[in-house]
Amino acid sequence: LTGDKLGIRGLAASNHQVAGLLRNLEASPWLQAANLTQIRRLSADEGQTASAFQMTVERVRHTVAQVAQ
């Protein structure tokens, strides 16, 4: 976390799951500006693959009145 920007790194079974995470982050009232900064395919034993990803998202600052609604 740097200021209001949060960096996220992770592994997913597919690029589709990473896209779903980005959509969910953007839909949150507490977060904005989700940005995928890197994604790469990893190969594992027995033909299985995964996607390693990095993204950033910014925290939305709400006033007390906005949170109470």
Side-chain angles (χ1 to χ4, degrees):
L1 181 63
T2 304
D4 289 335
K5 190 176 276 192
L6 174 67
I8 301 170
R9 292 181 185 190
L11 295 173
S14 69
N15 289 351
H16 181 74
Q17 288 180 331
V18 176
L21 175 59
L22 279 170
R23 283 191 299 273
N24 289 338
L25 292 171
E26 278 291 331
S28 170
W30 298 99
L31 302 169
Q32 65 184 6
N35 182 35
L36 183 65
T37 56
Q38 182 182 46
I39 191 164
R40 59 190 166 93
R41 200 69 141 150
L42 303 176
S43 294
D45 293 337
E46 300 177 18
Q48 294 187 9
T49 60
S51 296
F53 65 89
Q54 292 183 34
M55 62 179 67
T56 59
V57 66
E58 293 179 17
R59 176 177 57 156
V60 175
R61 291 190 179 258
H62 293 286
T63 64
V64 173
Q66 290 171 321
V67 173
Q69 292 179 356

